[in-house]
Amino acid sequence: MNITIFGSGYVGLVTAACFADAGNDVLCVDVDPAKVERLRRGECPIYEPGLEDMLQRNVRSGRMRFTTVASEGVAHGVYQFIAVGTPPSEDGSADMQYVLAVAKSIGQYMAEYRVVISKSTVPVGTADRVQQTLAAELKARGVEVPFDVVSNPEFLKEGAAVADFNKPDRIICGTSSDRATAAMQALYAPFNRNHDKLIVMDVRSSELTKYAANAMLATKISFMNEIANLAEALGADVEKVRVGIGADPRIGYHFIYPGCGYGGSCFPKDVKALVHTAGGANFDAQLLQAVESVNTRQKTLVFSKLEKSLGSLKGKTIALWGLAFKPQTDDMREAPSRDLMEAVWAAGGKIRAHDPVASHECERLYGKRDDLILVDTPEAACDGADALAIVTEWRVFHSPNFARLKSLLKNAVIVDGRNLYEPSVLKEAGFRYFAIGRGES
């Protein structure tokens, strides 16, 4: 099948590579010429396990190609995926200019039937706006060309996106067109062999499903962080509470790990956008507002615990383990590390940081500065630092040599924003250990 994908960011690139790997002819359209040239050489611009090998394999085979020419993309594929960014506006709403710009381009150039598929995370009602944009362009050209607009939201976890796409737990398809439904069934057939995972519904329900899923997961995280803070106030251990409630199959163990807040490209943006959408419908989304508020507060905890243990941070150096918002990605969008670093800098302190893959992204965001030192190993981050803070649960951080760390740090202080260690072990090793919802050891 011929597939066109507008946008070669995280979602667009994973989608393109997985479709190409299934034998389809995929053409990616992007407005950034430098990025297109890198992709043509098989250079992956993001870190995602398995993606670079898949990209290079399909570029070599010719099944995956890249262009900056929109008309070429519209002519190429019956399937026209829109996978461009929807960044948050100042009021929290999703910025739809890039989605609608792609829709306009498709309307300007399409000459025969196209299935226009929204893969970007978009507010409820976006498919209607895409439909109207396409119809307006065709009317301006004075032509009649059949088309369908489909909502097909992605459910990819960063760090496991390739596996998620290849073995989806559900494929949401929002359309009222039998022709579009048949086209989507044919497209996803290679990923739908074990049992039928395609769930067809109306477009608006499909759009809301994506936001509702992310908001539900964000709610579980913020709820557990609220319980963690309560546990600390009451002298309880939130990790024991987590095990106790996770055993209930109605709750489960997923997304109930307390920590220093969620980040990334989805949860923060999507919760804000859903709150904004609710406001537009004159609905006061109090629970979602609380989810966001708890997460904002949670991102300040590691800094507060550092101040509690060290006093003023002016002139002090903090060793930081982890920069990405979670393991197996180099994504630092809304990452708790950023809140911590910026708070330390504002207090007059310095950061010595290590992350297995995100150092280049940190340097891109913050540039060269005297109060930020990026190092190659976890131990190097601790060398001469006043305390260690942990904000990303990379596996390499799970079993350190505590005696070695104690000899490197000026003060035997660890502030653990991900509850990686057992407090009694750290206490026995001679550390002051501050975790989330577990008190001080």
Side-chain angles (χ1 to χ4, degrees), residues 9 36 49 54 76 85 133 152 320 369 401 430 432:
V36 165
M54 188 177 285
H76 172 76
T133 301
N152 177 220
L320 178 59
R369 46 188 300 162
N401 183 328
R432 292 182 68 195

Side-chain angles (χ1 to χ4, degrees), residues 12 23 69 97 216 368:
V69 182
Q97 63 172 311
M216 182 69 230
K368 301 281 188 180

Side-chain angles (χ1 to χ4, degrees), residues 112-234:
E112 54 187 331
Y113 177 73
R114 292 290 181 261
V115 185
V116 180
I117 306 160
S118 176
K119 200 69 174 170
S120 303
T121 300
V122 293
V124 176
T126 297
D128 294 338
R129 296 178 67 184
V130 169
Q131 177 100 15
Q132 293 161 5
T133 301
L134 289 163
E137 289 301 317
L138 292 174
K139 184 177 180 180
R141 290 169 54 197
V143 298
E144 291 186 10
V145 180
F147 68 89
D148 283 306
V149 176
V150 174
S151 170
N152 177 220
E154 53 85 15
F155 296 95
L156 305 176
K157 298 187 298 292
E158 292 192 43
V162 172
D164 285 347
F165 194 100
N166 285 328
K167 296 183 178 180
D169 46 24
R170 78 281 209 200
I171 303 166
I172 302 296
C173 179
T175 180
S176 58
S177 164
D178 291 340
R179 184 177 184 181
T181 299
M184 296 300 285
Q185 288 171 332
L187 177 65
Y188 276 106
F191 309 93
N192 199 27
R193 291 172 60 84
N194 184 267
H195 63 276
D196 191 6
K197 303 168 188 172
L198 193 73
I199 303 173
V200 181
M201 61 182 71
D202 64 278
V203 169
R204 286 187 169 235
S205 295
S206 171
E207 291 171 332
L208 183 55
T209 295
K210 169 62 177 179
Y211 276 105
N214 280 354
M216 182 69 230
L217 297 174
T219 299
K220 290 184 72 173
I221 294 171
S222 282
F223 172 82
M224 204 62 203
N225 282 335
E226 192 81 312
I227 294 298
N229 296 331
L230 178 60
E232 194 154 305
L234 296 174

Side-chain angles (χ1 to χ4, degrees), residues 321 388 390 397-403 405-406 409 412-416 419-435 438-441:
W321 282 4
L388 167 63
I390 304 169
F397 301 151
H398 281 246
S399 301
N401 183 328
F402 289 116
L405 294 187
K406 192 175 178 182
L409 292 166
V413 173
I414 296 177
V415 179
D416 182 0
N419 288 3
L420 298 186
Y421 312 126
E422 186 57 43
S424 60
V425 173
L426 271 292
K427 185 175 182 179
E428 187 176 337
F431 283 90
R432 292 182 68 195
Y433 178 63
F434 299 82
R438 313 189 80 180
E440 176 192 347
S441 300

Side-chain angles (χ1 to χ4, degrees), residues 164-372:
D164 285 347
F165 194 100
N166 285 328
K167 296 183 178 180
D169 46 24
R170 78 281 209 200
I171 303 166
I172 302 296
C173 179
T175 180
S176 58
S177 164
D178 291 340
R179 184 177 184 181
T181 299
M184 296 300 285
Q185 288 171 332
L187 177 65
Y188 276 106
F191 309 93
N192 199 27
R193 291 172 60 84
N194 184 267
H195 63 276
D196 191 6
K197 303 168 188 172
L198 193 73
I199 303 173
V200 181
M201 61 182 71
D202 64 278
V203 169
R204 286 187 169 235
S205 295
S206 171
E207 291 171 332
L208 183 55
T209 295
K210 169 62 177 179
Y211 276 105
N214 280 354
M216 182 69 230
L217 297 174
T219 299
K220 290 184 72 173
I221 294 171
S222 282
F223 172 82
M224 204 62 203
N225 282 335
E226 192 81 312
I227 294 298
N229 296 331
L230 178 60
E232 194 154 305
L234 296 174
D237 186 337
V238 75
E239 287 298 315
K240 293 181 173 62
V241 175
R242 178 185 64 79
V243 172
I245 68 171
D248 186 331
R250 297 168 301 174
I251 297 172
Y253 290 108
H254 294 297
F255 288 86
I256 62 168
Y257 287 86
C260 51
Y262 58 74
S265 62
C266 295
F267 290 1
K269 174 176 70 73
D270 291 352
V271 171
K272 288 185 178 72
L274 194 52
V275 169
H276 184 272
T277 297
N282 295 317
F283 178 77
D284 184 13
Q286 295 181 21
L287 178 59
L288 294 177
Q289 292 171 28
V291 168
E292 184 181 1
S293 177
V294 168
N295 194 60
T296 299
R297 182 188 64 195
Q298 204 71 14
K299 289 183 177 182
T300 68
L301 280 189
V302 174
F303 178 79
S304 297
K305 290 174 182 288
L306 284 168
E307 280 196 320
K308 179 181 178 181
S309 62
L310 299 178
S312 171
L313 297 186
K314 185 176 178 63
K316 292 187 171 68
T317 297
I318 303 302
L320 178 59
W321 282 4
L323 294 165
F325 85 94
K326 73 171 189 176
Q328 301 303 321
T329 181
D330 58 355
D331 194 344
M332 288 183 63
R333 285 173 287 186
E334 302 278 351
S337 64
R338 299 181 66 173
D339 295 78
L340 175 59
M341 288 192 293
E342 290 166 15
V344 169
W345 292 332
K350 297 182 179 181
I351 295 288
R352 287 177 62 88
H354 170 73
D355 188 285
V357 301
S359 291
H360 68 94
E361 177 66 6
C362 185
E363 189 170 328
R364 185 189 71 80
L365 290 168
Y366 292 109
K368 301 281 188 180
R369 46 188 300 162
D370 294 337
D371 51 10
L372 173 62

